[in-house]
Amino acid sequence: MEILVTGGAGYIGSHTCVELLNSGYKVIVVDNFFNSKPESLKRVQEITGKHLKIYEVDTLDEVTLEKVFSENNIEAVIHFAGFKSVGESLQIPILYYHNNITGTLILCEKMKKYNVKKLVFSSSATVYGMPKSVPISESFPLSANNPYGRTKLMIETILQDICAADKQWSVAILRYFNPIGAHESGKIGEDPSGTPNNLMPFITQVAVGKREKLSIFGGDYDTHDGTGVRDYIHVVDIAKGHIRALERIIKTSGIEAYNLGTGIGYSVLEVVKNFQKVTNKKIPYVILKRRRGDIAECYADPIKAKTILKWSAEKNIQDMCRDAWRFQVNNPNGY
Ligand code: UD1
């Protein structure tokens, strides 16, 4: 079965390609390589010993995207392609809306034209906005605090409307909590450009000596140690969640959203402690004021994915730290 993966060279996309190939799917990747490198796909092929078909195409490029559909026998799509930085989305909102939303609309249009109506969409726990309590289940009210989050929420709404209008569509929306870690081979992992915004890549860059110290954003939250609590989940577990979702949409129709999280929250200080323990590296840090837009606690109720997709996270926080570190050591300057 041929699966189209948009944004397949990115962090979660590349790990998902590994799992798809290992599960026997044929994989066609569409990526514009704006925030990723072709090297990641070379390594996906090294890890699996299998071949990928790669198109350097932007989802906004209607003509070339159509060619991808006409040249292949695509049966389902996993859609990762999109901009993902909260801070950047506040600076350049028009580009964010255009790229993420128009890109998805063009993709859906081509899917409809070629009668490919099975889609797994890469969403985020950011669609829960400021949740009123934790753990967060899929039925919680949705909202967003920034343009990036709003693009995810709008796309979810668009997909709901598409499925309401045509019952042949089958869509799984996957709401990721905080993916970290890397493939255990140390060949693929997170490769942010510039200064990392997210916690784990910042920690690994401190550990490898590229940055002096970690700034912890807020030590006065109402959490057990005052630092923010998140549901960190190994990227390989996230990737495997896509395979379960794909298997599900292939045999059903309609639209469902699933949380992909572990259900366990760790504070920033607990992540630092676990990282230090498994790597034997000291992470100097300072505690600064809160980062705008951050919430105190965010972790999933993962029961829906467990019950319906028969998926749950298998790797623990130490696996996540160890694997993130292995990728950083093997690739001190990224790909
Ligand atoms: C962030 C985004 C979210 C996005 C997700 C995945 C914001 C406000 N939220 O989530 O929309 O879906 O990434 O890309 O940007 N921290 C530090 N120091 C750092 C970095 C982070 O203390 O240098 C803390 C944060 O305050 C937070 C935790 O570490 O408590 C995790 O932060 P991060 O990795 O950026 O993820 P989120 O903020 O949960």
Side-chain angles (χ1 to χ4, degrees), residues 79-237:
H79 180 36
F80 293 103
F83 292 156
K84 63 163 192 179
S85 159
V86 172
E88 196 179 58
S89 78
L90 291 160
Q91 308 299 321
I92 46 170
I94 300 173
L95 272 180
Y96 264 69
Y97 285 114
H98 184 54
N99 185 66
N100 292 7
I101 294 176
T102 318
T104 303
L105 287 173
I106 292 172
L107 175 68
C108 290
E109 216 170 66
K110 297 301 160 207
M111 288 176 68
K112 184 171 180 238
K113 181 163 175 189
Y114 285 83
N115 203 30
V116 181
K117 295 182 175 175
K118 301 199 175 289
L119 175 70
V120 177
F121 174 61
S122 170
S123 189
S124 162
T126 197
V127 300
Y128 296 115
M130 304 270 176
K132 60 180 189 317
S133 61
V134 278
I136 302 167
S137 70
E138 290 83 354
S139 57
F140 271 36
L142 305 180
S143 69
N145 311 318
N146 53 68
Y148 158 73
R150 276 188 278 278
T151 67
K152 292 291 178 195
L153 198 47
M154 287 177 189
I155 294 167
E156 287 201 10
T157 312
I158 290 167
L159 295 174
Q160 296 279 359
D161 289 340
I162 292 173
C163 292
D166 180 350
K167 302 293 178 203
Q168 284 175 358
W169 280 78
S170 183
V171 175
I173 289 168
L174 301 182
R175 296 180 182 147
Y176 316 142
F177 281 69
N178 289 59
I180 59 169
H183 191 264
E184 62 178 14
S185 63
K187 287 178 189 282
I188 57 171
E190 190 166 10
D191 179 26
S193 43
T195 309
N197 295 314
N198 297 116
L199 180 63
M200 186 51 84
F202 206 101
I203 290 178
T204 60
Q205 291 196 7
V206 171
V208 84
K210 286 181 84 171
R211 306 199 182 265
E212 192 196 333
K213 56 178 182 290
L214 170 71
S215 301
I216 296 182
F217 302 134
D220 58 351
Y221 283 109
D222 185 17
T223 58
H224 59 276
D225 62 20
T227 63
V229 167
R230 295 290 183 275
D231 187 337
Y232 298 95
I233 172 163
H234 199 292
V235 67
V236 171
D237 279 328

Side-chain angles (χ1 to χ4, degrees), residues 135-136 138 259-263 300-307 311-312:
I136 302 167
E138 290 83 354
N259 286 339
L260 295 188
T262 64
D301 175 349
I303 193 72
K304 186 174 175 187
K306 188 173 183 189
T307 316
W311 169 92
S312 50

